[in-house]
Amino acid sequence: MSARFEEIDWRPTPMGDISLRRRRDPASGIDVYEVKLGDEFLMSSLFTAGEIALTRLGLAQLPDDELDVAVGGLGLGYTAQATLEDPRVRSLIVIEALGEVIDWHERGLVPLGARLASDSRCRLVLGDFFAVVGDSCGLDPREPDRRFHAILLDVDHSPRHVLHPRHAALYRPAGMRALADRLHPDGVFALWSNDPPDEQFSSVLAEVFAESQAHVVDFDNPLQGGTAANTIYVARKAAGAP
């Protein structure tokens, strides 16, 4: 049996102090892994429904061809793992701004780390998603002009509640156009948000993409009782778009 609480790792980063913690949940008896940045909770293995739904909703309407997928934000790896569970996925790159988070996975300090690190289709890339999406180097440093069938993003709390002020530009029309340029025609962009559907951001998606929708994902909340909800935005690029 594990200890009731353990701080597995703690390190200072340019975005603030980041820590990986494990605690024993008294109700279920399972180990819960949590990531904090400063005083903010970024991820908990107790709540993964939204991260998994991000992948499933994002890939649902794509064809049965071999898919190349990019994920912005590694976290505890649940979005990436759900992507790899889709048999259509040929390749996955995960762009993560914090080398510490990649290190946790490569060292097997988090539950899904060994699985992601050992899957030959998956590559963990150290980089700032928000900087490279509009930069000439692109999302894949090995192939600057590479396009993807799907780009899934789970970094900020929501388009309005960002972890860093410079992230906000991505959620405006120019930022979304730069992201759409990284997609194949008919490709899909999907975004996780902890806030209810945002009409302003939905309008931005409608301006840039051929079609878009906000899905509300409900899930049990054992800490507070009852249910909680995330929003998953899914937007499709026009089939004939360059």
Side-chain angles (χ1 to χ4, degrees), residues 74 96 98-107 124-126:
L74 177 56
E96 170 57 50
L98 297 175
E100 294 81 2
V101 176
I102 293 177
D103 183 58
W104 296 340
H105 285 76
E106 292 178 339
R107 292 168 59 198
L124 307 181
V125 175
L126 178 62

Side-chain angles (χ1 to χ4, degrees), residues 103-123:
D103 183 58
W104 296 340
H105 285 76
E106 292 178 339
R107 292 168 59 198
L109 298 181
V110 291
L112 299 180
R115 295 167 67 182
L116 296 181
S118 64
D119 195 307
S120 60
R121 297 170 296 162
C122 179
R123 181 155 45 97

